[in-house]
Amino acid sequence: HAYSRRAQLGPSVPWQAGIMATAGIQELMSAEARASQIVAEARAARGERMKEAKREAEAVIEKIRSEKQAEFEASSQATQTKDEFDELKTKTDVEISDMTKQFNGNKGAVTNMIVKVVTDVDLKLSETRKLQGKRASGQTL
């Protein structure tokens, strides 16, 4: 009797309602876990897309930077070489001009000095030469 009575009462019996409630809670928890997993996967995928986009942007920036650097170096090298050459030539010409002026201004004095040194010979012997001569001849000091 007791069993048939439970069957007649249907789902309104408290123990069946408890089972159904537990099943509903389980289903909600499972759905929440799936939703959390989907959100986490979406965040991870977005993070990866952002990292990939950043890497691609850095590669493009580096390519453009190297192209612009090469252009700059090519243009500045030609200009710099010409400018350096012109500056060095001007500086060298000034130095040559200064040396020529100094040479022309001093050549007479230098020529006179050389002639005087060559023609003005002192015939006196120094004390060292006198002592060496005495030693060589065997004289006592």
Side-chain angles (χ1 to χ4, degrees):
H1 263 190
Y3 177 73
S4 61
R5 189 173 234 196
R6 279 189 193 161
Q8 289 174 357
L9 292 176
S12 62
V13 176
W15 66 272
Q16 286 181 341
I19 291 174
M20 290 174 60
T22 304
I25 291 173
Q26 290 285 338
E27 190 176 332
L28 283 174
M29 290 176 68
S30 175
E32 184 179 345
R34 284 192 307 263
S36 294
Q37 184 179 3
I38 291 170
V39 169
E41 288 172 359
R43 284 184 180 153
R46 184 184 72 190
E48 285 300 316
R49 285 192 310 272
M50 294 295 286
K51 288 178 185 177
E52 182 62 30
K54 183 178 179 182
R55 283 191 291 269
E56 289 174 6
E58 287 174 350
V60 169
I61 289 169
E62 184 58 35
K63 180 182 175 189
I64 292 171
R65 179 180 290 134
S66 64
E67 288 173 0
K68 294 297 180 183
Q69 182 69 26
E71 288 174 19
F72 172 76
E73 287 176 1
S75 68
S76 68
Q77 188 175 25
T79 304
Q80 184 180 15
T81 302
K82 184 182 181 317
D83 292 345
E84 286 176 354
F85 176 77
D86 291 344
E87 182 180 331
L88 185 60
K89 185 174 182 335
T90 302
K91 186 177 177 182
T92 303
D93 290 344
V94 168
E95 288 178 4
I96 289 172
S97 174
D98 288 345
M99 285 186 224
T100 304
K101 286 178 189 175
Q102 288 177 358
F103 174 78
N104 289 332
N106 294 326
K107 71 179 176 182
V110 171
T111 304
N112 290 338
M113 182 182 71
I114 291 172
V115 168
K116 183 179 179 206
V117 167
V118 170
T119 58
D120 188 20
V121 178
D122 186 18
L123 298 177
K124 289 185 181 178
L125 290 176
S126 68
E127 286 298 317
T128 307
R129 285 288 179 195
K130 289 178 187 176
L131 288 173
Q132 282 180 344
K134 287 181 182 179
R135 285 186 187 143
S137 64
Q139 296 178 2
T140 338
L141 299 178

